Amino acid sequence: MAHLRVDRSDYPQCLTNNVHSEMNNNDSKEKISRCCSECSCSLMEAELTEYAKKVQRRIDENDSDEFPNHSELHAAIILRKFIESARKSIYIFCGRLNRNVYGDLLPCFKAADDRGVKVRVVTAYRDVCAEDVAAGLKEMKAYNVLSEPDDETPHFALIDECRYRIETSEEEKSAIVCAYAETREQALRVCSLKLLFDLLLDNCTAESV
């Protein structure tokens, strides 16, 4: 029987170079662990880059198929892409402006405001995480805080009244996402989100608007 030849040229370094013979060496173990971590980071970065391309493609093609996001990193990508695509309005209701999600989005909000997009963000709590983002939004007169904390209303984003992201888990930041509302059910969902956002705005403290 012929022996199977395996090309290891594309393997991560931690899987080559006679790894098994060096496992008893602490320095080697540390190097292997670090290399594995670097490989994981590279894979994650590649996955997120591909995810961002897919989200942009859905926006460009007005794709009405709903799709999930499963983490804070995916949520940040979706919101960035949706905000960058906004031409009329951005309505967001969230808890405390989670820094992992909103921390890098202030330039996107400002760019949207500069091109005439109506930006409104409502938080359920006054003690936000990304205070710099809250301050920047307040300068734009786009930041609002509910007069009473709300831990029951699902967090959501509604962009141009045609794209939406509705969280299904605040802790995991998982959500149902739609890049273009086209079906009757999706249109009704958009109308419901807009009505809900207007109600939330009406219940904000006067000084936050």
Side-chain angles (χ1 to χ4, degrees), residues 73-138:
L73 296 175
H74 295 97
I77 288 172
I78 290 168
L79 288 170
R80 176 181 291 276
K81 291 297 185 181
F82 277 15
I83 292 169
E84 289 175 345
S85 75
R87 295 295 176 264
K88 297 178 181 179
S89 58
I90 297 169
Y91 304 128
I92 294 176
F93 173 61
C94 62
R96 291 188 168 89
L97 282 177
N98 182 302
R99 181 164 294 282
N100 291 334
V101 176
Y102 295 96
D104 295 328
L105 296 184
L106 183 56
C108 299
F109 284 122
K110 288 184 175 180
D113 184 62
D114 288 344
R115 61 178 182 267
V117 176
K118 183 178 181 179
V119 180
R120 295 290 183 272
V121 176
V122 174
T123 60
Y125 306 95
R126 185 174 298 279
D127 55 327
V128 297
C129 298
E131 294 181 354
D132 55 326
V133 178
L137 289 169
K138 198 165 186 177

